[in-house]
């Protein structure tokens, strides 16, 4: 049973607004990186792409991302009560039951949306994505190789989009997804180093690195499709940075 944070002279933190608490719990500021992942995979898939299909895939994969973020906090709530008491669950802004309900609802919404995609194999790939998300969230604290699971989640975004649109994963999609895999591995290793430092870095490295996911998508699209698509990566980069001014993404 968790100890009452008001006991033993602990500081009781003021409650956030419920809406802000859920935004923080879901780390919504990082969503533009998911959208540019979906855009890159869609344009590289070789399948016809409409605005409707892009929005459908962006919605679905955003739901999986948000579900993963909520489940991550849910799995870490005991650790966070000791080391990150400002997170929404230990702070008391969001109950564990509400977080679990939200995780299930978002996962179901993500899977349900893929029913309307051109190829149902996208839904099967999404089940693999969901399994990797659950594995990462449950084991990332004690497993030094969990960075590979996190990077695998990013890679599987490309796989899901490719299968959902074209029923296969084109070589260009694998290339762009592979680039993101190695980028996220490097980002995760750096994050562990940054968290272990006694003194913080003199500049906010993690927000820039997280936003860099979108920038990498733009670079891949510039190289593999048309240079103008770099603007999409830049847009995602600056949207992510702007969002992190209000909701932290790490």
């Amino acid at each position: 049973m968790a100890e009452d944070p008001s006991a033993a002279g602990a500081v009781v933190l003021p409650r956030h607004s419920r809406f802000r608490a859920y935004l923080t719990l879901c780390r919504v500021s990082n969503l533009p990186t998911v959208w540019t992942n979906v855009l890159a995979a869609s344009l590289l898939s070789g399948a016809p792409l409409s605005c409707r299909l892009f929005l459908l895939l962006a919605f679905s994969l955003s739901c999986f991302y948000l579900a993963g973020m909520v489940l991550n906090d849910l799995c870490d709530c005991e650790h966070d009560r000791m080391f990150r008491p400002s997170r929404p669950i230990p702070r008391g802004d969001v109950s564990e039951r509400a977080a679990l309900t939200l995780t299930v609802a978002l996962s179901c919404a993500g899977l349900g949306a893929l029913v309307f995609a051109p190829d149902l194999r996208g839904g099967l790939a999404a089940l693999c994505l969901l399994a990797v998300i659950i594995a990462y969230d449950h084991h990332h604290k004690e497993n030094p190789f969990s960075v590979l699971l996190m990077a695998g989640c990013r890679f599987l975004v490309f796989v899901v989009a490719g299968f959902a649109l074209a029923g296969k994963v084109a070589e260009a999609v694998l290339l762009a997804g592979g680039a993101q895999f190695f980028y996220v591995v490097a980002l995760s290793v750096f994050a562990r180093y940054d968290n272990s430092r006694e003194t913080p870095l003199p500049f906010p490295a993690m927000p820039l690195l997280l936003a860099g996911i979108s920038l990498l998508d733009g670079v891949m699209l510039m190289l593999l499709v048309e240079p103008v698509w770099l603007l999409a990566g830049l847009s995602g980069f600056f949207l992510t940075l702007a969002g992190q001014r209000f909701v932290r993404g790490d």
Side-chain angles (χ1 to χ4, degrees), residues 38-122:
V38 172
L39 179 64
S42 300
L43 290 171
L44 295 170
S45 70
L49 179 65
S50 65
C51 182
R52 183 189 71 83
L53 285 176
F54 169 73
L55 291 175
L56 176 72
L57 292 178
F59 170 79
S60 173
L61 287 156
S62 293
C63 285
F64 286 119
Y65 175 84
L66 297 175
M69 292 297 102
V70 178
L71 181 60
N72 183 273
D73 269 35
L74 192 57
C75 292
D76 288 354
C77 62
E78 293 301 325
H79 176 273
D80 288 345
R81 284 190 177 99
M82 296 178 62
F83 300 105
R84 301 185 72 187
S86 61
R87 292 298 300 167
I89 293 176
R91 191 182 184 102
D93 294 329
V94 179
S95 70
E96 292 182 38
R97 175 173 292 186
L100 179 59
T101 301
L102 182 59
T103 300
V104 173
L106 287 167
S107 300
C108 291
L111 286 170
L114 290 173
V115 171
F116 302 99
D119 198 298
L120 291 180
R121 278 172 283 193

Side-chain angles (χ1 to χ4, degrees), residues 15 28 34 82 93 129 136 158 211 217:
R15 297 170 69 88
V28 296
V34 179
M82 296 178 62
D93 294 329
L129 170 60
Y136 171 80
F158 288 77
D217 286 326

Side-chain angles (χ1 to χ4, degrees), residues 11-215:
V11 176
V12 179
L13 299 171
R15 297 170 69 88
H16 287 168
S17 71
R18 176 159 299 193
F19 181 66
R20 178 65 177 270
Y22 276 98
L23 293 181
T24 302
L25 181 68
C26 294
R27 295 175 173 89
V28 296
S29 58
N30 292 333
L31 279 177
T33 67
V34 179
W35 304 336
T36 57
N37 287 167
V38 172
L39 179 64
S42 300
L43 290 171
L44 295 170
S45 70
L49 179 65
S50 65
C51 182
R52 183 189 71 83
L53 285 176
F54 169 73
L55 291 175
L56 176 72
L57 292 178
F59 170 79
S60 173
L61 287 156
S62 293
C63 285
F64 286 119
Y65 175 84
L66 297 175
M69 292 297 102
V70 178
L71 181 60
N72 183 273
D73 269 35
L74 192 57
C75 292
D76 288 354
C77 62
E78 293 301 325
H79 176 273
D80 288 345
R81 284 190 177 99
M82 296 178 62
F83 300 105
R84 301 185 72 187
S86 61
R87 292 298 300 167
I89 293 176
R91 191 182 184 102
D93 294 329
V94 179
S95 70
E96 292 182 38
R97 175 173 292 186
L100 179 59
T101 301
L102 182 59
T103 300
V104 173
L106 287 167
S107 300
C108 291
L111 286 170
L114 290 173
V115 171
F116 302 99
D119 198 298
L120 291 180
R121 278 172 283 193
L124 296 177
L127 289 174
C128 295
L129 170 60
L130 190 57
V132 177
I133 289 172
I134 292 171
Y136 171 80
D137 285 340
H138 277 88
H139 302 294
H140 71 105
K141 286 297 184 188
E142 72 275 9
N143 186 350
F145 296 104
S146 61
V147 295
L148 300 179
L149 291 175
M150 176 180 281
C153 292
R154 226 15 117 149
F155 177 76
L156 284 169
V157 169
F158 288 77
V159 173
V160 171
F163 272 121
L165 285 174
K168 62 180 182 179
V169 184
E171 289 183 6
V173 175
L174 290 175
L175 181 62
Q180 287 290 357
F181 178 90
F182 289 109
Y183 181 86
V184 172
V185 168
L187 185 155
S188 302
V189 170
F190 176 83
R192 292 188 175 189
Y193 160 76
D194 191 34
N195 289 334
S196 68
R197 287 174 55 90
E198 294 183 1
T199 57
L201 292 171
F203 60 94
M206 282 308 300
L208 290 170
L209 290 172
L210 287 167
I213 293 172
S214 285
L215 192 58

